[in-house]
Amino acid sequence: MKIVYIYPTLATWGGVERILVEKMNLLADYDGYEIHAVTYNQGDHPLSFQLDSRVRHTDLQVRTHAIYRYRGLRRLWEEWKRSRLLSSRLREKLDEIAPDVIVATTNGELALLCRLKGSTPLVVESHGGYQHLIDYPRLSWRHRHDIRRRYRLLHQADAIVTLTEQDASKWRTDYPQVHVIPNVVHLNPTDRLSTQQQKRIIFVGRLAEQKGIPELMAVWRMTHRRHPDWQLMMFGEGDHDYVRRLADGLQVSPPVKNIFDQYCNCSVLVLTSRWEPFGLVIPEAMSCGLPVVSFEGDGPSSIITDGVDGFLVANRDTGILADRLCQLIEDETLRRRMGEAAVQSAQRYTAANIMPMWKELFETICHS
């Protein structure tokens, strides 16, 4: 079976990029599976995550993002020219590969794929959740129109794959072809676990609006006031100096390759995302023996069992979230009990549990 994954670029250190690469690598292990990764904005940038040598990567060298170097009519001209180039090169590549399945996300190439796919089944992965892009207040009118157009085009997909049942229930109001397959998560590769002796709380994620950084700072100020001997360790891309100025007791660092060492050197994971369709960091940290304290959301609520392996806080209540952190700080026995439960919870997301779902989906749509 030939499966083609189409995505703008795999040069970014992002969760979606990591998920796609790991999934392609795992599919390459199946007998009779030929996996292709087709990008169009990679250019000369290296891959952020290593592809298995059996996965065949091609970049179409279109670089649609380069239009933003220009303004006015020149930008419109470049956009038209590069969209035609992408259409031509992608058509040639698909004709050359003759795939059995095409896999894409809800990115900008979706409209083009609906034109080019012919009778080839199209699987669309929803990594952002159904509703948040439509409701996101800072999008321009043009971007909102483009997103709504993509949602209309999704009726042409043979399967839409969501990460949680909560998100799937929203999709199913308009799309009957929805399947739920959680992410495969790279869990703790060692036998080492947190000792729960470290006076450190960890946050992992982009220092961006989606991750609720202002709320995190409010939570940390309340927590640090009550427990000044504890630290908040933050790992992510963004304006580190700005974040450091917002609160005391912070250690802010860029992403690190072996994040599991950092998890094992902490005692609790905190998450303050305004929306989180899944949240890879949750089972990652759990697999190292960390309970997780998070606001509710489709992703966190599907992974965390409140009061068992972590705490879920409703209504974005920063005061309650700080109270839950302090409860864990003050009760080592509770931290240990929740950490042990978290290790078991994380095992749901191993490749052995998740990848057979993908294999079944691909083989079903190819023979339907």
Side-chain angles (χ1 to χ4, degrees):
M1 181 183 296
K2 296 180 181 179
I3 302 174
V4 175
Y5 278 80
I6 299 173
Y7 195 70
T9 176
L10 297 172
T12 305
W13 288 89
V16 175
E17 290 78 10
R18 181 168 59 162
I19 292 161
L20 292 177
V21 167
E22 182 151 12
K23 200 180 301 175
M24 288 186 277
N25 290 346
L26 290 165
L27 285 169
D29 282 333
Y30 287 123
D31 290 338
Y33 275 60
E34 181 179 303
I35 311 301
H36 294 259
V38 176
T39 56
Y40 51 89
N41 284 338
Q42 190 77 24
D44 299 325
H45 300 288
L47 298 171
S48 294
F49 304 97
Q50 186 172 356
L51 276 173
D52 188 289
S53 60
R54 294 168 294 180
V55 178
R56 308 177 188 189
H57 175 227
T58 303
D59 185 63
L60 302 179
Q61 295 288 329
V62 178
R63 303 187 186 189
T64 58
H65 58 283
I67 67 170
Y68 297 105
R69 299 174 185 170
Y70 309 103
R71 295 183 178 182
L73 292 176
R74 178 63 189 275
R75 180 182 290 186
L76 292 174
W77 162 250
E78 290 290 336
E79 185 176 11
W80 179 84
K81 182 175 68 173
R82 290 170 195 266
S83 66
R84 294 204 23 122
L85 183 61
L86 175 59
S87 177
S88 172
R89 290 183 177 176
L90 186 54
R91 184 189 298 276
E92 289 176 5
K93 180 52 64 174
L94 292 175
D95 287 345
E96 175 190 325
I97 297 171
D100 297 294
V101 180
I102 299 170
V103 184
T105 64
T106 54
N107 276 296
E109 70 276 0
L110 182 58
L112 178 58
L113 285 173
C114 288
R115 292 204 311 269
L116 298 181
K117 76 181 192 72
S119 60
T120 305
L122 174 63
V123 176
V124 177
E125 298 185 13
S126 167
H127 291 276
Y130 178 71
Q131 196 61 37
H132 85 269
L133 284 176
I134 293 295
D135 289 343
Y136 196 44
R138 296 188 181 180
L139 288 179
S140 67
W141 175 89
R142 182 181 176 186
H143 283 133
R144 288 176 183 273
H145 175 77
D146 183 49
I147 289 167
R148 291 190 174 94
R149 179 166 171 260
R150 291 181 214 174
Y151 277 44
R152 289 194 298 272
L153 288 167
L154 283 167
H155 289 286
Q156 299 180 40
D158 296 83
I160 299 170
V161 178
T162 70
L163 302 174
T164 66
E165 283 291 347
Q166 293 95 323
D167 190 39
S169 66
K170 300 166 189 172
W171 282 99
R172 288 190 180 116
T173 59
D174 293 309
Y175 306 92
Q177 71 277 38
V178 172
H179 303 257
V180 179
I181 304 180
N183 284 324
V184 172
V185 182
H186 181 53
L187 301 179
N188 185 3
T190 72
D191 294 330
R192 183 186 174 203
L193 296 174
S194 168
T195 65
Q196 289 300 333
Q197 296 295 305
Q198 305 91 337
K199 294 184 176 183
R200 300 188 194 99
I201 296 167
I202 188 170
F203 167 89
V204 179
R206 289 175 293 108
L207 308 182
E209 185 173 7
Q210 180 213 339
K211 300 300 181 180
I213 300 303
E215 290 92 335
L216 176 61
M217 294 298 97
V219 167
W220 178 242
R221 282 191 291 268
M222 288 183 274
T223 304
H224 194 245
R225 213 175 292 133
R226 292 161 65 177
H227 297 282
D229 53 335
W230 278 66
Q231 292 179 312
L232 175 62
M233 313 283 291
M234 299 180 65
F235 295 89
E237 294 180 335
D239 190 341
H240 295 176
D241 291 336
Y242 169 71
V243 173
R244 286 191 192 97
R245 290 195 297 269
L246 293 179
D248 296 326
L250 293 179
Q251 289 195 20
V252 189
S253 304
V256 293
K257 286 195 174 181
N258 194 355
I259 190 62
F260 294 99
D261 285 344
Q262 304 301 329
Y263 289 135
C264 291
N265 286 325
C266 295
S267 294
V268 182
L269 174 77
V270 62
L271 197 69
T272 52
S273 299
R274 296 179 180 181
W275 70 85
E276 193 64 69
F278 187 76
L280 286 174
V281 299
I282 301 173
E284 281 182 354
M286 283 180 161
S287 73
C288 297
L290 270 62
V292 181
V293 181
S294 172
F295 289 130
E296 290 180 343
D298 286 351
S301 298
S302 71
I303 301 171
I304 300 165
T305 302
D306 186 44
V308 176
D309 47 27
F311 287 120
L312 290 165
V313 176
N315 303 321
R316 306 203 54 76
D317 192 323
T318 55
I320 296 297
L321 195 72
D323 286 343
R324 290 288 182 254
L325 281 177
C326 290
Q327 183 179 352
L328 285 170
I329 287 172
E330 294 159 8
D331 192 338
E332 184 180 333
T333 301
L334 179 63
R335 287 203 312 271
R336 288 184 179 278
R337 185 171 72 246
M338 283 190 166
E340 290 169 2
V343 173
Q344 297 304 312
S345 295
Q347 304 312 307
R348 293 172 289 168
Y349 304 103
T350 62
N353 288 328
I354 302 300
M355 291 311 295
M357 300 182 193
W358 280 105
K359 189 171 186 289
E360 180 182 4
L361 173 62
F362 290 144
E363 294 179 359
T364 298
I365 64 173
C366 281
H367 296 106
S368 61

